Amino acid sequence: MSDDPDKVWPTGLTLHEAEEVHSYLIDGTRVFGAIALIAHMLVAASTPWLG
Amino acid sequence: MFDYRTFALRKLVSIAPRYLPFADVATDDVPLSRLLRLSLFQVTVGMAIVLLVGTLNRVMIVELAVPATLVAVMLALPVVFAPLRMLVGFKSDTHVSALGLRRVPYIWKGTLYQFGGFAIMPFALLVLSGYGEAVDAPRWMGLSSAALAFLLVGAGVHMVQTVGLALATDLVKEADQPKVVGLMYVMLLFGMVISALVFGALLTNYTPGRLIQVIQGAAVITVSLNLFAMWKQEARDRTRAQQMQVRPRPAFREAYVKLLDQPGKMRLLVVIALGTFGFGAADVLLEPYGGQALGFSVAETTRLTALLAGGTLIGFGIASRVLGQGGTPNRLAMMGATIGIPGFAAIILSAFGGGAPMFLLGTVLTGLGAGLFGHATLTATMRSAGPDQIGLALGTWGAVQATAAGIGVALAGIVRDLIVAAPGAGNLPAHVPYNAVFLIEILFLALACAILVPLVRNSRRAKALQTETQLQPASGLHTKTAEAS
């Protein structure tokens, strides 16, 4: 598909570029996950929903 | 058989690059619409500031009955992060990215933190105030989560503003920088005014559910506006990415020393600190002063804030125009500080027979001075930085400015309370504690002016030099004035 062996098909990004884009996704998931966890714990403290 | 794999991949490939969040080419000419879009990050910054300092300040004390000292400590937490702006700016200058991005990753990270802080803030506040079953929750839970929420929002605001301003500086030519600075300040003011009105209207009938809605709504708006603002602003650049890999990475200390080694840089920073401190304290004291010393009603004091903001807007407008036509930022900064002195003097005199007209005049003058001063010092900061140090320079500006403003607001309250609490203060007229603060502000502004004088002289000399040697190539002259200012 591409002349450059370093490029990842089909996006046309190089391997490093693809990894960087992926790292943003991973970081975002981690931050959002941690925030959701804390928020749930706080809500559980004020209005417990697990009995 | 239908080949799903090929079909899916072909569809993927055909997604045009215009749906990707980075631009494919860096254009020389940046249209106003794009700058307007970028300046939306300042709206979210203004919204965060209003929510913390204005709305939550009141809600925590009045509706949630959190002790006032605790509220003050929580609200002061974001200021702790202000010096870290320098580090963030520096890191964005030296960022290594395979995509060639420098600023956008940091704006995104800051947005995440800002969002995260707002997302947990309402629950943290409810637990802190012992709402529902949280009465039985351990005390540290509410305290630590509320502190975390405020720290996250503060860190996010500092990152977004520093790196966002750096990106704006990257995008435009030096001649257009005054316009961009004006735009950024106006959008900050706009964000603050609009969100203050909206939050005020939404929280008139306070319920815990409404508090959650409002703060989390702010979180969602923050993410959407910031995403929209940074969309396609920075170009994906393979050559720059390769340069990033091989470029020597200076240590923070070296870069910092290099920045401060510029002639007049340290002086400018001291001036920014003094001036921001002088103007900043007025924001919180004008309204209670109008109410207590001059007997204004609540609606009238709210209009005072509008008047102050109006003066500031006029200041931004004048500064954009004058600096865009080749005025020197230092002279304008000095003018701003000088206008502030009679402004505060008029405010003081209004309690000694000057009355309301004097007070209103003083308010407008103070706003005008603050606008001129803020605009001119930020423009000077932008111009004094080399292209590889823009982030650090703006980080330093932000660190000095945010710290000075925070200390100014805190100190204004403390000085006033101290005088009120002093023995024998019961007999003093209501205006005394305020006027003491206003006098201190005049002093600081005068000090800022005095420190600016040599800088203004230097830039005048540079300008004279420029007219003498007009045969030199224009680019060389540009750097000369930039260094001098």
Side-chain angles (χ1 to χ4, degrees), chain B residues 164-199:
Chain B
L165 285 174
L167 178 57
T169 317
D170 287 348
L171 285 178
V172 296
K173 293 190 281 289
E174 192 184 300
D176 289 335
Q177 278 171 2
K179 274 185 242 159
V180 171
V181 173
L183 184 66
M184 293 293 158
Y185 264 121
V186 169
M187 287 307 253
L188 181 69
L189 209 60
F190 174 76
M192 289 173 87
V193 170
I194 294 288
S195 45
L197 292 176
V198 172
F199 290 146

Short mmCIF file of all heavy atoms in Angstrom, two decimals, chain B residues 164-199:
data_model
loop_
_atom_site.label_atom_id
_atom_site.label_comp_id
_atom_site.label_asym_id
_atom_site.label_seq_id
_atom_site.Cartn_x
_atom_site.Cartn_y
_atom_site.Cartn_z
N GLY B 164 -1.92 27.68 25.78
CA GLY B 164 -2.80 28.27 24.78
C GLY B 164 -2.26 29.61 24.29
O GLY B 164 -2.24 29.89 23.09
N LEU B 165 -1.80 30.44 25.22
CA LEU B 165 -1.21 31.73 24.82
C LEU B 165 0.05 31.51 23.99
O LEU B 165 0.30 32.23 23.02
CB LEU B 165 -0.88 32.57 26.06
CG LEU B 165 -2.07 33.21 26.76
CD1 LEU B 165 -1.63 33.89 28.03
CD2 LEU B 165 -2.76 34.20 25.85
N ALA B 166 0.84 30.48 24.37
CA ALA B 166 2.04 30.19 23.60
C ALA B 166 1.68 29.80 22.18
O ALA B 166 2.32 30.23 21.21
CB ALA B 166 2.84 29.09 24.28
N LEU B 167 0.63 28.99 22.04
CA LEU B 167 0.19 28.58 20.70
C LEU B 167 -0.25 29.79 19.89
O LEU B 167 0.08 29.92 18.70
CB LEU B 167 -0.94 27.56 20.82
CG LEU B 167 -1.54 27.06 19.51
CD1 LEU B 167 -0.47 26.44 18.64
CD2 LEU B 167 -2.64 26.04 19.77
N ALA B 168 -0.99 30.68 20.53
CA ALA B 168 -1.43 31.89 19.83
C ALA B 168 -0.23 32.71 19.36
O ALA B 168 -0.22 33.25 18.25
CB ALA B 168 -2.32 32.73 20.74
N THR B 169 0.80 32.79 20.21
CA THR B 169 2.00 33.54 19.83
C THR B 169 2.70 32.86 18.67
O THR B 169 3.23 33.52 17.78
CB THR B 169 2.97 33.64 21.02
OG1 THR B 169 2.22 33.93 22.18
CG2 THR B 169 4.00 34.71 20.79
N ASP B 170 2.73 31.52 18.69
CA ASP B 170 3.34 30.79 17.58
C ASP B 170 2.66 31.12 16.26
O ASP B 170 3.31 31.22 15.22
CB ASP B 170 3.18 29.27 17.79
CG ASP B 170 4.08 28.74 18.88
OD1 ASP B 170 4.98 29.49 19.29
OD2 ASP B 170 3.87 27.60 19.31
N LEU B 171 1.34 31.27 16.32
CA LEU B 171 0.57 31.32 15.09
C LEU B 171 0.68 32.65 14.35
O LEU B 171 0.60 32.68 13.14
CB LEU B 171 -0.91 31.04 15.38
CG LEU B 171 -1.26 29.57 15.68
CD1 LEU B 171 -2.73 29.45 16.01
CD2 LEU B 171 -0.92 28.70 14.48
N VAL B 172 0.84 33.75 15.09
CA VAL B 172 0.75 35.05 14.41
C VAL B 172 2.11 35.74 14.30
O VAL B 172 3.04 35.44 15.04
CB VAL B 172 -0.23 36.00 15.14
CG1 VAL B 172 -1.62 35.45 15.09
CG2 VAL B 172 0.23 36.23 16.55
N LYS B 173 2.18 36.66 13.36
CA LYS B 173 3.40 37.44 13.18
C LYS B 173 3.51 38.48 14.30
O LYS B 173 2.52 38.82 14.94
CB LYS B 173 3.34 38.16 11.84
CG LYS B 173 3.41 37.22 10.66
CD LYS B 173 3.60 37.95 9.37
CE LYS B 173 2.35 38.56 8.80
NZ LYS B 173 1.33 37.71 8.26
N GLU B 174 4.72 38.97 14.49
CA GLU B 174 4.94 39.87 15.63
C GLU B 174 4.07 41.12 15.54
O GLU B 174 3.57 41.62 16.55
CB GLU B 174 6.41 40.28 15.71
CG GLU B 174 6.71 40.96 17.03
CD GLU B 174 8.14 41.47 17.11
OE1 GLU B 174 9.04 40.64 17.01
OE2 GLU B 174 8.32 42.68 17.30
N ALA B 175 3.85 41.59 14.32
CA ALA B 175 3.06 42.82 14.17
C ALA B 175 1.62 42.61 14.63
O ALA B 175 0.95 43.56 15.04
CB ALA B 175 3.09 43.26 12.72
N ASP B 176 1.14 41.36 14.53
CA ASP B 176 -0.25 41.10 14.89
C ASP B 176 -0.43 40.70 16.34
O ASP B 176 -1.56 40.51 16.81
CB ASP B 176 -0.81 39.97 14.00
CG ASP B 176 -1.00 40.44 12.59
OD1 ASP B 176 -1.16 41.66 12.40
OD2 ASP B 176 -0.97 39.60 11.67
N GLN B 177 0.68 40.56 17.07
CA GLN B 177 0.56 40.08 18.45
C GLN B 177 -0.30 40.96 19.34
O GLN B 177 -1.08 40.44 20.14
CB GLN B 177 1.95 39.90 19.06
CG GLN B 177 2.56 38.57 18.66
CD GLN B 177 4.00 38.45 19.06
OE1 GLN B 177 4.56 39.35 19.67
NE2 GLN B 177 4.61 37.34 18.69
N PRO B 178 -0.20 42.31 19.24
CA PRO B 178 -1.08 43.13 20.10
C PRO B 178 -2.55 42.81 19.91
O PRO B 178 -3.31 42.75 20.87
CB PRO B 178 -0.77 44.56 19.65
CG PRO B 178 0.58 44.50 19.09
CD PRO B 178 0.73 43.14 18.47
N LYS B 179 -2.94 42.55 18.64
CA LYS B 179 -4.34 42.22 18.38
C LYS B 179 -4.73 40.93 19.07
O LYS B 179 -5.81 40.81 19.65
CB LYS B 179 -4.55 42.07 16.86
CG LYS B 179 -4.84 43.38 16.18
CD LYS B 179 -5.15 43.14 14.72
CE LYS B 179 -4.14 43.84 13.88
NZ LYS B 179 -4.03 43.31 12.52
N VAL B 180 -3.82 39.94 19.00
CA VAL B 180 -4.11 38.65 19.62
C VAL B 180 -4.23 38.79 21.13
O VAL B 180 -5.14 38.24 21.76
CB VAL B 180 -3.02 37.62 19.24
CG1 VAL B 180 -3.20 36.35 20.04
CG2 VAL B 180 -3.09 37.34 17.77
N VAL B 181 -3.31 39.57 21.72
CA VAL B 181 -3.36 39.78 23.17
C VAL B 181 -4.70 40.41 23.55
O VAL B 181 -5.37 39.98 24.49
CB VAL B 181 -2.19 40.67 23.63
CG1 VAL B 181 -2.36 41.03 25.08
CG2 VAL B 181 -0.89 39.96 23.41
N GLY B 182 -5.10 41.43 22.77
CA GLY B 182 -6.38 42.07 23.04
C GLY B 182 -7.52 41.07 22.96
O GLY B 182 -8.37 41.00 23.84
N LEU B 183 -7.49 40.27 21.91
CA LEU B 183 -8.54 39.27 21.71
C LEU B 183 -8.60 38.30 22.89
O LEU B 183 -9.67 37.99 23.42
CB LEU B 183 -8.25 38.51 20.42
CG LEU B 183 -9.28 37.49 19.99
CD1 LEU B 183 -10.58 38.18 19.64
CD2 LEU B 183 -8.78 36.68 18.81
N MET B 184 -7.44 37.84 23.33
CA MET B 184 -7.39 36.87 24.42
C MET B 184 -7.96 37.47 25.70
O MET B 184 -8.72 36.83 26.41
CB MET B 184 -5.94 36.44 24.67
CG MET B 184 -5.34 35.64 23.54
SD MET B 184 -6.16 34.06 23.38
CE MET B 184 -5.78 33.64 21.70
N TYR B 185 -7.58 38.72 25.98
CA TYR B 185 -8.07 39.36 27.20
C TYR B 185 -9.58 39.59 27.13
O TYR B 185 -10.30 39.37 28.10
CB TYR B 185 -7.37 40.70 27.42
CG TYR B 185 -6.20 40.63 28.34
CD1 TYR B 185 -4.93 41.00 27.94
CD2 TYR B 185 -6.36 40.19 29.65
CE1 TYR B 185 -3.85 40.94 28.80
CE2 TYR B 185 -5.29 40.12 30.51
CZ TYR B 185 -4.04 40.51 30.08
OH TYR B 185 -2.99 40.44 30.94
N VAL B 186 -10.03 40.01 25.95
CA VAL B 186 -11.46 40.28 25.80
C VAL B 186 -12.25 38.99 25.99
O VAL B 186 -13.29 38.97 26.66
CB VAL B 186 -11.76 40.91 24.42
CG1 VAL B 186 -13.25 40.93 24.16
CG2 VAL B 186 -11.21 42.31 24.37
N MET B 187 -11.74 37.89 25.43
CA MET B 187 -12.45 36.62 25.57
C MET B 187 -12.46 36.16 27.02
O MET B 187 -13.43 35.57 27.49
CB MET B 187 -11.81 35.55 24.69
CG MET B 187 -12.10 35.73 23.23
SD MET B 187 -13.85 35.88 22.89
CE MET B 187 -14.19 34.32 22.14
N LEU B 188 -11.36 36.40 27.75
CA LEU B 188 -11.32 36.05 29.17
C LEU B 188 -12.41 36.81 29.93
O LEU B 188 -13.18 36.24 30.70
CB LEU B 188 -9.94 36.37 29.74
CG LEU B 188 -9.73 36.03 31.21
CD1 LEU B 188 -9.70 34.53 31.41
CD2 LEU B 188 -8.43 36.63 31.71
N LEU B 189 -12.46 38.12 29.65
CA LEU B 189 -13.46 38.98 30.31
C LEU B 189 -14.87 38.53 29.93
O LEU B 189 -15.75 38.42 30.78
CB LEU B 189 -13.23 40.42 29.85
CG LEU B 189 -13.60 41.51 30.81
CD1 LEU B 189 -12.82 41.39 32.09
CD2 LEU B 189 -13.35 42.86 30.18
N PHE B 190 -15.05 38.25 28.64
CA PHE B 190 -16.34 37.79 28.11
C PHE B 190 -16.77 36.51 28.83
O PHE B 190 -17.90 36.39 29.31
CB PHE B 190 -16.18 37.56 26.61
CG PHE B 190 -17.39 36.94 25.95
CD1 PHE B 190 -18.51 37.71 25.68
CD2 PHE B 190 -17.38 35.61 25.58
CE1 PHE B 190 -19.61 37.14 25.07
CE2 PHE B 190 -18.47 35.03 24.97
CZ PHE B 190 -19.60 35.81 24.72
N GLY B 191 -15.83 35.55 28.93
CA GLY B 191 -16.15 34.29 29.60
C GLY B 191 -16.54 34.51 31.05
O GLY B 191 -17.47 33.90 31.55
N MET B 192 -15.83 35.43 31.70
CA MET B 192 -16.12 35.67 33.11
C MET B 192 -17.50 36.30 33.28
O MET B 192 -18.28 35.88 34.13
CB MET B 192 -15.04 36.57 33.72
CG MET B 192 -13.71 35.86 33.87
SD MET B 192 -12.39 36.95 34.38
CE MET B 192 -12.56 36.88 36.12
N VAL B 193 -17.80 37.31 32.44
CA VAL B 193 -19.08 38.02 32.60
C VAL B 193 -20.24 37.09 32.30
O VAL B 193 -21.18 36.95 33.10
CB VAL B 193 -19.12 39.25 31.65
CG1 VAL B 193 -20.51 39.83 31.61
CG2 VAL B 193 -18.11 40.29 32.11
N ILE B 194 -20.16 36.38 31.13
CA ILE B 194 -21.26 35.50 30.75
C ILE B 194 -21.48 34.41 31.79
O ILE B 194 -22.60 34.15 32.22
CB ILE B 194 -20.96 34.85 29.37
CG1 ILE B 194 -20.94 35.91 28.27
CG2 ILE B 194 -21.99 33.78 29.05
CD1 ILE B 194 -22.28 36.46 27.92
N SER B 195 -20.38 33.77 32.23
CA SER B 195 -20.58 32.65 33.15
C SER B 195 -21.05 33.15 34.51
O SER B 195 -21.83 32.45 35.17
CB SER B 195 -19.32 31.80 33.27
OG SER B 195 -18.19 32.60 33.42
N ALA B 196 -20.63 34.35 34.92
CA ALA B 196 -21.13 34.88 36.19
C ALA B 196 -22.65 35.06 36.12
O ALA B 196 -23.38 34.68 37.05
CB ALA B 196 -20.45 36.20 36.52
N LEU B 197 -23.12 35.62 34.99
CA LEU B 197 -24.56 35.81 34.82
C LEU B 197 -25.30 34.47 34.81
O LEU B 197 -26.30 34.27 35.50
CB LEU B 197 -24.85 36.58 33.52
CG LEU B 197 -24.40 38.03 33.49
CD1 LEU B 197 -24.66 38.64 32.12
CD2 LEU B 197 -25.12 38.82 34.57
N VAL B 198 -24.76 33.51 34.02
CA VAL B 198 -25.44 32.22 33.88
C VAL B 198 -25.45 31.46 35.21
O VAL B 198 -26.48 30.95 35.64
CB VAL B 198 -24.76 31.38 32.77
CG1 VAL B 198 -25.33 29.97 32.75
CG2 VAL B 198 -24.96 32.05 31.42
N PHE B 199 -24.30 31.39 35.87
CA PHE B 199 -24.24 30.67 37.15
C PHE B 199 -25.18 31.32 38.16
O PHE B 199 -25.87 30.63 38.92
CB PHE B 199 -22.82 30.68 37.71
CG PHE B 199 -21.86 29.82 36.94
CD1 PHE B 199 -20.54 30.18 36.80
CD2 PHE B 199 -22.29 28.64 36.36
CE1 PHE B 199 -19.65 29.40 36.09
CE2 PHE B 199 -21.42 27.85 35.64
CZ PHE B 199 -20.10 28.24 35.51
#
